[in-house]
Structures are given as structure tokens and as C-alpha cells.
Amino acid sequence: AIRTTDESWYTRVFEKMSGKHDGKAMQSGLLEYLLQRLTPLGEHKRIPMSSMKEEMLALRLLASLEIKVSKTPIQDDQVEGETEYVDGQEKGREILNSILTVVAQAPFCLYPATGSSQRRPPITIHMLAFFLRTCLTDKFLDKIGLKEFCAEHTSHIISEREAYAIATHGYAEVEDAHNPNHGHGKSFAQSSQGPCMPCTFRLTREGKRDLAAGLQQSCHFGVIEWQAWCLNRLIEGIDDGRLSVVDAILEKDSQGCNAMMHAANDQSSGYAALTIRMLVQAVSFSTSGDPQAKEKAVRRVLNTADDAHFSPPMAAIALRNLNAMEGFLQVGARYWDKKINGKLPRQAKLQHDVTIEMIKKLKNEQLNNAIQRLQTNSEDLIGCSYCGVATDELQLCSGCGLARYCSRKCQTKSWKKHKYVCKAKAKVNLTQTDLASSINAPRGLEKGGCLGC
């Protein structure tokens, strides 16, 4: 697929990417990949090209932001002899911002809108592919013209086989440099912590199957890119669907903790809430059947307790992890779910009650409100989206139709955060600088160094 003998092709690629052929290219991951003349490994049966369509489409959209084409002429049929010029980078940013604006809004809340205090997740091939696969309809993608744009603005630079090779780091030189003999990972549990995506794809081609262990580690450390990769593969039925999304999330480690519990324990990355929402979105999308089946599956992954009688929300409370608590509240988790875990043992209840009393003495309004709302959920009541108080007079937010408030005062206090996910306000508007270097390129091949750890 890579044109190793066509010198003029490399010159043309260089010119398209940098604007001129003067020996100094722009800082582009795509350009670095294309110009290194690597040897493609070809399609692998464990990650067939048919299962990578969203990743390849995401790659092309991100590539359009790096291709410095002057402007693409489009003939206007209405006016004979007239030519309309379209800036590929500007149109690419417009399409990407449209996608991110949709996933930033309720009920997804998978990307912070402009002005949000939440950390912004990386815009990578696998994260964008997760959005395309689980959040957006074909009708919406047709409306924004994603496929037509990508074909028009990137097909002259990247063929389908090249897109597949780049998206999977499927090159002999990359795989050789990521050999375990050079100190690279031997399991998904190791490659997920970096993350090292070249190692991850090498392990996939080698047949490693500890996906659940890798998911646990990526959730614990807030490694969003690896989570997106893993959930994408599970949704696509890797290994003939032997491991479902639900089973992967609920699989326990040696300490009795599943992936959702590890997300509750993520106190450092700032992505705990995002991880929780991604796991829920993957479960909901991958669960076939009626809405009740989806609700049941989501309820299981959110509320299944560990061996020490801690549910994921309980763990978040004990750690005072407000980010995780807010994530659980957004997706309807419960402090303790009797239908899932049975009756909470008396000794464990006493322990949790003491913990909550100690937290309440801190007089932190946000923590106390979050605890109140989680406890209200456990009683199968609908509480105020700010204070958690259950009442029959809750009013729906007119913007998103999801948040509920017991009073105008609570709605006003909640608006400071809610406006960034409410459909009435949520919007993403990233600049070219924000979107630079979205494609991971191999580094240090000539020195045998790491390419992406």
C-alpha cells in the first residue's frame, strides 16, 4: 500500500502537507507516518478492515486538519465558468466541531462544551471513532457531509489500505521496535497504562486476550484513548464476541474490583466522570433488545458491589471523589442497589454511615448534595438534580428536558455547571491550534526507541 518506489509521490505528499517542498515540513503526525516509507503488515483477521471503518473515517477527518492544501476548487453548476473554493482545514474543523457539540450535550456529556471547567479529553482516532460508532446516526453524518468531505479532501493522500495501516499501527518496523525484548508491554494491562497504542495493536495481532484487565487499568488511571479503543473492539465483537462489553466491565481483578469500581477510584486524571459515561454509553449501545434490557444492563454495571460490600458510588463517596460522584449521578447510579446486590449487611452499613457522617462534618455543600442525591436514587425516588430532595413538584429543565429541580433557587445554583451540557447552550468551537497533532506518529524508529508509550 505504501508507495516505496514512487519518489514523485513523496514529493507530492510533502507539498500537500507543508505547502512547499523546501525540506522543512509542518509538525504533522500524518506526514511523519507517510514519509517514513514503512512496510505495511496488511489486514489482520482479529481486526479486519470491516471492523475499523469508523477508525479509518476518524483518521481521514483528523488528517484533513493537517493537510495544508491551498484550497480545493469546486465547479458551480449554477454559474458557468465560476469556481467556488473551499478551505479543507476550515471545513474539517467545522465538521469536527459539529460532532463534538452533539456529544457534549445531554444525554451523552462526553466532551466539555466551550467554557466548561471539565478537562477536555484527547481528540484521537479511537476517541472520535467511539463518538461516530455509538453516539451519531447515519442521518446526522449525511447531514454534515462527513464521508463525502473525507473522500474529497484525503483520498489523494491516503488510500484505504494506508488508512487501515496507520489506524492500526500495522507496519513491520513499528512492530519490531515494540518488541517485548526492547522493554515493551507483554499484556494489555501494561500497554493500557501509557497508553502505548502500537504495543496494544501488536498484542492484538499476537492474540492476547486480557482486555478486561487492560480496561480496569485504563479506567483506574483515566487513560481515555485506551478505554475508547477497548470499548470499540468489544462493540465490534473481537474474537467472535466471546467477551461482551458488560462482561468485560464486570470482570473482577484479584481484589474483587471491576472496571466501574476502578473508575470510582480515579482521583488524579480528572476523567473519572467521563470514564463512567463512556462505559455506560458502550453498554447501552451494545445491548440488543428492548429499552428494559438496556436499562437492566446499565444498572448492573453501575451498581454491582465489590467483595467488601462497596458499590462504585459508595467507593467514590468514601474517597470524596466528587468528579466520579457527579458522573454516577448523571447516569442514574444508586448508593446501594438492593435488586443487584441484595440487602446491605449490617456491619457494612454501619461503616458506610460513619464515613458519611465524617464527610458531612466537612460542610462541603457539593459533596453533601451529591451524597443526598445518590441516596435518593437508592430509594427509587426522583430527586432534585441539585440538592437531591425528592418531591412531587420537580420541574424539568426546558433546555434539555432531563434535569429536574425542586425550586428556582436550585436551578440557578445548578446552571453554572449544567449550562455546559444543556442542549440550550452546549457548544464546542475548537481552533486549528487546539486540533494540532491529533494523529499519533512513530518516533525514534532509527534509534529503536518507543513509538508511542
Side-chain angles (χ1 to χ4, degrees):
I2 302 300
R3 303 162 175 80
T4 55
T5 59
D6 185 359
E7 294 295 334
S8 63
W9 180 81
Y10 288 99
T11 301
R12 293 197 302 274
V13 169
F14 204 101
E15 290 172 344
K16 291 292 186 185
M17 296 295 291
S18 64
K20 55 183 178 178
H21 186 45
D22 60 359
K24 293 183 179 180
M26 64 181 286
Q27 293 296 315
S28 163
L30 175 64
L31 179 62
E32 290 181 33
Y33 237 135
L34 291 176
L35 295 184
Q36 290 203 48
R37 311 185 187 195
L38 305 175
T39 308
L41 295 172
E43 189 172 0
H44 191 277
K45 63 180 181 180
R46 202 173 181 208
I47 38 174
M49 192 179 295
S50 60
S51 72
M52 295 290 293
K53 290 181 179 179
E54 284 79 6
E55 282 78 5
M56 292 161 64
L57 191 59
L59 168 70
R60 290 188 180 278
L61 179 56
L62 295 177
S64 73
L65 306 175
E66 297 189 4
I67 298 176
K68 283 196 172 180
V69 210
S70 53
K71 283 186 179 179
T72 304
I74 299 179
Q75 295 297 331
D76 191 337
D77 296 333
Q78 302 299 321
V79 182
E80 186 176 352
E82 291 290 329
T83 302
E84 178 187 0
Y85 287 87
V86 175
D87 186 328
Q89 287 186 335
E90 182 179 347
K91 181 63 175 177
R93 287 197 304 273
E94 180 184 324
I95 290 176
L96 182 56
N97 281 326
S98 296
I99 292 171
L100 296 179
T101 294
V102 170
V103 300
Q105 297 174 355
F108 303 120
C109 308
L110 294 174
Y111 201 86
T114 302
S116 172
S117 60
Q118 284 191 327
R119 288 193 65 190
R120 193 175 70 203
I123 306 172
T124 63
I125 292 171
H126 305 291
M127 191 67 179
L128 186 52
F130 182 79
F131 296 156
L132 296 176
R133 183 174 277 115
T134 67
C135 303
L136 307 174
T137 64
D138 290 337
K139 183 178 180 180
F140 174 79
L141 297 180
D142 290 340
K143 179 181 178 181
I144 62 176
L146 175 61
K147 294 179 181 178
E148 294 78 3
F149 168 80
C150 289
E152 182 177 351
H153 289 270
T154 65
S155 58
H156 60 296
I157 296 292
I158 316 169
S159 70
E160 282 293 280
R161 292 182 64 194
E162 288 160 352
Y164 174 80
I166 295 173
T168 61
H169 296 275
Y171 297 97
E173 294 84 355
V174 175
E175 191 148 295
D176 180 65
H178 278 261
N179 192 299
N181 294 329
H182 299 159
H184 289 275
K186 298 180 180 180
S187 67
F188 288 132
Q190 293 175 322
S191 71
S192 62
Q193 295 182 43
C196 181
M197 298 315 297
C199 274
T200 295
F201 277 103
R202 170 182 58 79
L203 293 166
T204 303
R205 287 186 282 266
E206 289 176 358
K208 300 296 182 182
R209 297 183 183 274
D210 61 321
L211 284 166
L215 185 60
Q216 291 163 8
Q217 293 301 306
S218 64
C219 290
H220 191 97
F221 295 103
V223 187
I224 296 298
E225 181 177 13
W226 207 92
Q227 293 170 28
W229 173 84
C230 183
L231 294 173
N232 282 328
R233 294 305 93 216
L234 292 169
I235 289 171
E236 287 294 332
I238 190 171
D239 300 326
D240 299 321
R242 295 175 189 174
L243 183 65
S244 69
V245 174
V246 173
D247 290 340
I249 295 173
L250 291 179
E251 185 172 314
K252 296 181 178 180
D253 62 11
S254 58
Q255 303 300 315
C257 296
N258 59 35
M260 192 65 77
M261 185 65 76
H262 278 279
N265 279 268
D266 173 18
Q267 295 179 275
S268 57
S269 75
Y271 290 133
L274 176 59
T275 295
I276 292 164
R277 293 193 294 267
M278 285 179 61
L279 294 177
V280 168
Q281 179 65 17
V283 170
S284 178
F285 180 81
S286 64
T287 303
S288 59
D290 61 349
Q292 289 185 340
K294 291 180 181 290
E295 183 182 353
K296 183 178 180 180
V298 168
R299 190 168 176 173
R300 282 183 64 204
V301 299
L302 278 174
N303 302 295
T304 297
D306 65 7
D307 297 342
H309 304 294
F310 272 85
S311 67
M314 279 180 169
I317 291 172
L319 294 168
R320 286 179 282 175
N321 189 346
L322 186 59
N323 186 270
M325 292 167 68
E326 289 178 344
F328 284 124
L329 284 167
Q330 286 177 341
V331 292
R334 298 157 183 255
Y335 178 76
W336 182 262
D337 194 326
K338 293 181 181 179
K339 290 185 178 180
I340 301 297
N341 303 310
K343 186 177 180 180
L344 180 63
R346 182 173 179 275
Q347 191 63 36
K349 185 178 185 304
L350 289 173
Q351 180 184 352
H352 295 314
D353 289 344
V354 170
T355 300
I356 289 176
E357 287 302 316
M358 292 177 63
I359 294 174
K360 287 183 177 180
K361 288 180 180 180
L362 299 175
K363 297 183 179 180
N364 184 311
E365 184 180 13
Q366 285 184 301
L367 281 173
N368 291 339
N369 283 349
I371 293 171
Q372 172 68 35
R373 290 167 62 193
L374 285 168
Q375 291 178 323
T376 300
N377 288 348
S378 300
E379 298 167 358
D380 288 324
L381 300 174
I382 298 177
C384 172
S385 296
Y386 179 74
C387 69
V389 172
T391 172
D392 295 332
E393 299 179 355
L394 296 177
Q395 298 295 316
L396 282 175
C397 169
S398 59
C400 64
L402 294 174
R404 293 176 169 85
Y405 300 103
C406 63
S407 66
R408 184 70 177 176
K409 181 180 178 180
C410 280
Q411 184 178 21
T412 301
K413 287 186 175 182
S414 176
W415 182 245
K416 184 177 180 180
K417 287 188 175 182
H418 179 63
K419 65 183 177 181
Y420 297 118
V421 298
C422 183
K423 291 182 180 181
K425 289 287 183 180
K427 186 177 182 181
V428 177
N429 185 24
L430 302 182
T431 65
Q432 185 67 25
T433 304
D434 295 324
L435 304 172
S437 303
S438 296
I439 299 175
N440 293 329
R443 301 184 298 274
L445 278 173
E446 69 285 352
K447 299 178 183 178
C450 179
L451 314 181
C453 289

